[in-house]
Amino acid sequence: MISRRTGARFRLSGAGLVLGGVRVLQGVDLAIEPGEAVALVGPSGAGKTSLLGLLNASRRATEGVVELNGVDLAGLGQRALRRARATVGFVHQDFALVPNVRVAQNVLFGKLGGRGFLQGLRSMVAPREDDLVRAHGILERLGIADKLYQRTDTLSGGEEQRVALGRALFQDPVALLADEPVASVDPARARDLVALMQELAREDGLTLVVSLHDLEIAREFFPRLIGLRGGRVALDRSMGEVREEEFAELYRLGEAEATRAEEPRP
Amino acid sequence: MSASHIDRRAEVVRLRAERPRSLTVRFSLVFFCALAVFAWVSGEIDAVDFLSKRRRANVERFLEQDVLPYPLRESVRTEGGGGTLELLWSWVAELWTDRGADAFWTTLWISTLAIVLAGVSAVILSAPAARTLMRTEPFARTPARGAGEWPWRICAEAVRFSLVGLRAIPEFVWAFLFLALFGPGAWPAILALAIHNAGILGRLNADTVENLDGGPLRALRSLGASRRQVFGLAILPLALSRFLLYFFYRFETCVREATVLGMLGIVSLGYWIQDARARQRYDEMVLFVVLGALLVLVADVLSQLARAALRRAR
């Protein structure tokens, strides 16, 4: 498949995030170019999920600027915000599928971002044939085309993860984000999935940002590595230049947790 | 259209034809639609009858005359007009001090006592009624089978069955029975409400326990904790907010029901509603009905405050 469009460009400058009185991100300056594939690493609590949330516009930065394709996300109204979110596919760590509906339905949910309530209802009761055919095409690329009409909760973990990825692809996104996809399945399946995501992103020209803990996998599939520690960008360079010690340093136990400043509650 | 597209279309159609289908869902959908149609078509309900002339005249007289408070009606008749508000106020005040206040507080006490009795017994009964707890190995992922399971299962089902019994008899009927046994007073109403609501809350609480995430509970069992320890130290904290939600919901219902039970001769608001109706003093009746509604409002505010306070407590 030829890439039909260019991927998303993300720009963050001085971006920070305070959640429930706790500072989770601070002074993040990043530029991610269209079509780039980036591995996001760092210990638990370093702010990986929060950073992905900023990129997906599901979280608003408390300070600083987050831009998606040159548009400042902070200034968007409800409607524009929904449209921005619809262009960024997100594979959640726990897949976050609706378990008791069919796979086709979960994939079709991907297009809710661009549709009104009634259109959404229609896609549930009497889905358009074109949508179903497209969903089938996506599932075929993911290797689970025959599961189209199965109930989602009858699938295995690895299959469910692919459905979640299918839902993100059905959005017709310009960027694909995945939160620790490796942590949810066994190592063999994990490698397979990351390879698949990388291949899909390359074919469709999507910007790919994946958070993970595994340096091996990061090395193999991603040209660039961003390391977070204590809510700050501690490492940002091309994969070839990353040394083992630097990676280990990111995960070192110690004051990083303690330096996360607690802000006074309102 | 490309050949592959047509192939895919056919494939989708094939997969759809082979999709797993639930007979139960289909059957019940058809069944309930048919039932709804049947109820409308076959019943004795006549929509036109509701609007007959005599009924309409009744409603009009009720709204234009009977409902008007006594002093207002008098002032309309004598055309005096002056001091109507004061008269109205003293009419309300007199009714309140004479009967209203007493009945108002009695209604509140009856329902509070009843729901506390019901709530406590329901929490205790929810343990033996929870089928996931009543097993040789509680909260096991795949429940064991065999003869050893039977005593537990029989016990759980027996408790559940008695809970059904408690709530199958309406509070009104319980109160009727207890009035015959104990004679008039507040206790027949309290016991009736407590028993009926223990049946309802016991079942809701037991279902809550059954639906809890088994992980932490299995972990406690696997380190040797007893059933009672697991229930008191892990299940209670896990299920408490749900228990309280149901508790306060039933409290509100209890307040309403305590009013209704007055019609059996227990001196709550319902007694005076019944009394006013018998004397055809519809203005007084409406005042007591409004007091009853106010009481439900008070109960609602109380439960909101209590639950908000619990949420804040950390």
Side-chain angles (χ1 to χ4, degrees), chain A residues 198-219:
Chain A
Q198 200 251 13
E199 186 188 314
L200 290 168
R202 190 163 38 80
E203 284 174 358
D204 292 2
L206 309 178
T207 307
L208 180 68
V209 183
V210 177
S211 75
L212 36 75
H213 291 294
D214 191 324
L215 183 59
E216 288 285 301
I217 292 186
R219 270 235 171 88

Side-chain angles (χ1 to χ4, degrees), chain A residues 102 129-130 132-134 136-137 140 145-151 265, chain B residues 5 8-9 11-22 26 314:
Chain A
R102 295 181 199 277
E129 213 184 335
D130 289 342
L132 287 171
V133 169
R134 233 194 103 215
H136 184 267
E140 192 167 65
D146 56 325
K147 306 287 183 193
L148 186 66
Y149 279 104
Q150 298 294 312
R151 246 176 78 133
R265 277 159 200 276
Chain B
H5 194 80
R8 197 180 295 290
R9 200 158 281 240
E11 178 67 5
V12 169
V13 169
R14 188 185 68 80
L15 284 170
R16 186 177 150 74
E18 288 172 7
R19 74 192 184 279
R21 272 174 271 205
S22 161
R26 282 175 181 234
R314 291 187 193 187

Side-chain angles (χ1 to χ4, degrees), chain B residues 131 134-138 140-153:
Chain B
R131 282 171 291 225
M134 299 295 278
R135 277 179 192 154
T136 49
E137 197 43 61
R141 247 180 242 279
T142 42
R145 287 177 193 186
E149 296 293 321
W150 282 105
W152 291 106
R153 280 191 66 174

Side-chain angles (χ1 to χ4, degrees), chain B residues 82-141:
Chain B
T84 310
L85 254 176
E86 279 163 44
L87 278 173
L88 186 66
W89 179 243
S90 68
W91 175 77
V92 171
E94 197 189 317
L95 277 175
W96 169 256
T97 46
D98 189 28
R99 299 161 241 178
D102 222 20
F104 186 87
W105 295 120
T106 310
T107 311
L108 188 60
W109 298 150
I110 287 176
S111 43
T112 308
L113 256 176
I115 198 63
V116 168
L117 283 175
V120 171
S121 20
V123 168
I124 295 167
L125 285 172
S126 70
R131 282 171 291 225
T132 47
L133 185 69
M134 299 295 278
R135 277 179 192 154
T136 49
E137 197 43 61
F139 301 102
R141 247 180 242 279

Side-chain angles (χ1 to χ4, degrees), chain B:
Chain B
M1 202 173 287
S2 69
S4 77
H5 194 80
I6 292 167
D7 286 351
R8 197 180 295 290
R9 200 158 281 240
E11 178 67 5
V12 169
V13 169
R14 188 185 68 80
L15 284 170
R16 186 177 150 74
E18 288 172 7
R19 74 192 184 279
R21 272 174 271 205
S22 161
L23 265 180
T24 327
V25 170
R26 282 175 181 234
F27 175 76
S28 37
L29 210 66
V30 171
F31 180 75
F32 281 109
C33 287
L35 206 63
V37 170
F38 179 73
W40 270 111
V41 171
S42 72
E44 291 281 309
I45 307 157
D46 187 351
V48 184
D49 183 47
F50 184 67
L51 298 168
S52 80
K53 253 203 187 114
R54 223 185 90 239
R55 283 178 197 220
R56 220 167 55 201
N58 265 344
V59 170
E60 273 168 17
R61 209 195 60 215
F62 180 77
L63 289 178
E64 283 169 11
Q65 295 176 26
D66 295 344
V67 165
L68 282 183
Y70 175 72
L72 270 185
R73 229 178 312 158
E74 286 300 295
S75 81
V76 165
R77 195 188 298 159
T78 57
E79 306 261 352
T84 310
L85 254 176
E86 279 163 44
L87 278 173
L88 186 66
W89 179 243
S90 68
W91 175 77
V92 171
E94 197 189 317
L95 277 175
W96 169 256
T97 46
D98 189 28
R99 299 161 241 178
D102 222 20
F104 186 87
W105 295 120
T106 310
T107 311
L108 188 60
W109 298 150
I110 287 176
S111 43
T112 308
L113 256 176
I115 198 63
V116 168
L117 283 175
V120 171
S121 20
V123 168
I124 295 167
L125 285 172
S126 70
R131 282 171 291 225
T132 47
L133 185 69
M134 299 295 278
R135 277 179 192 154
T136 49
E137 197 43 61
F139 301 102
R141 247 180 242 279
T142 42
R145 287 177 193 186
E149 296 293 321
W150 282 105
W152 291 106
R153 280 191 66 174
I154 288 168
C155 180
E157 295 302 335
V159 174
R160 283 202 165 241
F161 187 75
S162 11
L163 287 176
V164 175
L166 295 185
R167 64 175 188 273
I169 299 173
E171 53 268 76
F172 203 75
V173 176
W174 278 120
F176 205 66
L177 277 171
F178 290 134
L179 261 177
L181 285 175
F182 307 130
W187 278 105
I190 295 170
L191 285 180
L193 286 173
I195 287 178
H196 182 75
N197 283 293
I200 293 175
L201 284 176
R203 191 256 159 99
L204 290 174
N205 288 357
D207 286 351
T208 306
V209 173
E210 285 181 7
N211 290 334
L212 286 178
D213 173 24
L217 310 174
R218 270 195 295 277
L220 289 188
R221 280 296 287 180
S222 78
L223 57 77
S226 72
R227 276 190 180 75
R228 251 175 287 176
Q229 285 172 325
V230 173
F231 185 78
L233 302 175
I235 291 179
L236 270 189
L238 274 172
L240 187 66
S241 67
R242 217 8 115 78
F243 284 3
L244 285 173
L245 179 75
Y246 293 140
F247 176 85
F248 283 118
Y249 161 60
R250 288 315 296 179
F251 175 49
E252 203 185 297
T253 324
C254 260
V255 172
R256 257 184 292 136
E257 288 302 324
T259 302
V260 174
L261 289 182
M263 295 181 180
L264 284 173
I266 298 152
V267 190
S268 73
L269 281 169
Y271 179 83
W272 295 114
I273 292 175
Q274 173 85 331
D275 173 71
R277 203 196 69 90
R279 292 184 293 114
Q280 301 210 330
R281 297 298 302 270
Y282 292 107
D283 49 349
E284 292 180 16
M285 185 181 106
V286 167
L287 183 80
F288 290 126
V289 168
V290 169
L291 274 182
L294 268 178
L295 203 49
V296 174
L297 209 73
V298 169
D300 184 53
V301 169
L302 279 181
S303 65
Q304 299 276 358
L305 287 177
R307 292 187 58 218
L310 275 166
R311 264 197 302 272
R312 273 196 305 274
R314 291 187 193 187

